Amino acid sequence: MDRMERTPEHPGERTAADPIRLLAVRDTPLSLDEVFAAVGDDAAGGTALFVGTVRDHDGGADVEGLGYSSHPSAEAELRRVAEKVAADFPVRALAAVHRVGELAVGDLAVVVAVSCAHRAEAFEACRRLIDDLKREVPIWKHQRFADGTEEWVGA
């Protein structure tokens, strides 16, 4: 099945029939290779990838680990965000996955990628995708600190 449609404005160039290739909120480890492969496109001259990892500190306190939880609507909201990015930018392909459950320092928490014909568009679309995901998708972080304290972020 051809996922591409010809564009009348530029013969030889095709647009992605459905640029949203991978969206998921999952409780299993994330894969950079899976996300990067999902946005592969022969017409893309630029691919931007963002990886969010669990860091060992926050606000001057040592982080021991954290947990992510999500609302049942999280994947639907992620789709809404992705569709908006795809509508606002000339996206060839787009992918976003977010982890839920218990994570350790260094674990991948979120991976998003966008491919476009040009690098500037890919960077801008990728930035919008991660920023809107973090702001609008109902996923919450529960941090545990080395001193025994904890906090919810985004809840």
Side-chain angles (χ1 to χ4, degrees), residues 39-119:
V39 298
D41 189 293
D42 290 341
T47 300
L49 183 95
F50 173 81
V51 180
T53 56
V54 178
R55 64 181 176 265
D56 66 358
H57 68 281
D58 188 34
D62 292 334
V63 172
E64 286 193 340
L66 55 84
Y68 281 101
S69 59
S70 66
H71 188 272
S73 68
E75 282 196 11
E77 289 301 307
L78 179 56
R79 175 158 295 279
R80 186 187 57 73
V81 165
E83 288 171 348
K84 179 81 167 109
V85 171
D88 290 349
F89 294 91
V91 171
R92 304 293 310 167
L94 176 151
V97 291
H98 201 297
R99 179 93 184 266
V100 292
E102 296 302 312
L103 283 76
V105 170
D107 284 349
L108 303 181
V110 61
V111 181
V112 302
V114 176
S115 61
C116 296
H118 305 283
R119 73 177 174 272

Side-chain angles (χ1 to χ4, degrees), residues 22 24 26 29-40 49 95 97 111:
L22 171 65
R26 54 173 72 142
L30 306 182
S31 165
L32 294 174
D33 290 338
E34 176 190 27
V35 174
F36 185 68
V39 298
L49 183 95
V97 291
V111 181

Side-chain angles (χ1 to χ4, degrees), residues 91-151:
V91 171
R92 304 293 310 167
L94 176 151
V97 291
H98 201 297
R99 179 93 184 266
V100 292
E102 296 302 312
L103 283 76
V105 170
D107 284 349
L108 303 181
V110 61
V111 181
V112 302
V114 176
S115 61
C116 296
H118 305 283
R119 73 177 174 272
E121 300 160 343
F123 278 125
E124 291 173 32
C126 189
R127 173 138 196 167
R128 168 83 66 78
L129 179 59
I130 187 60
D131 287 350
D132 289 357
L133 183 161
K134 297 305 282 181
R135 183 175 48 255
E136 299 177 28
V137 177
I139 297 173
W140 308 286
K141 177 168 55 174
H142 182 227
Q143 295 188 116
R144 294 178 310 283
F145 298 102
D147 66 4
T149 61
E150 54 187 52
E151 76 174 346

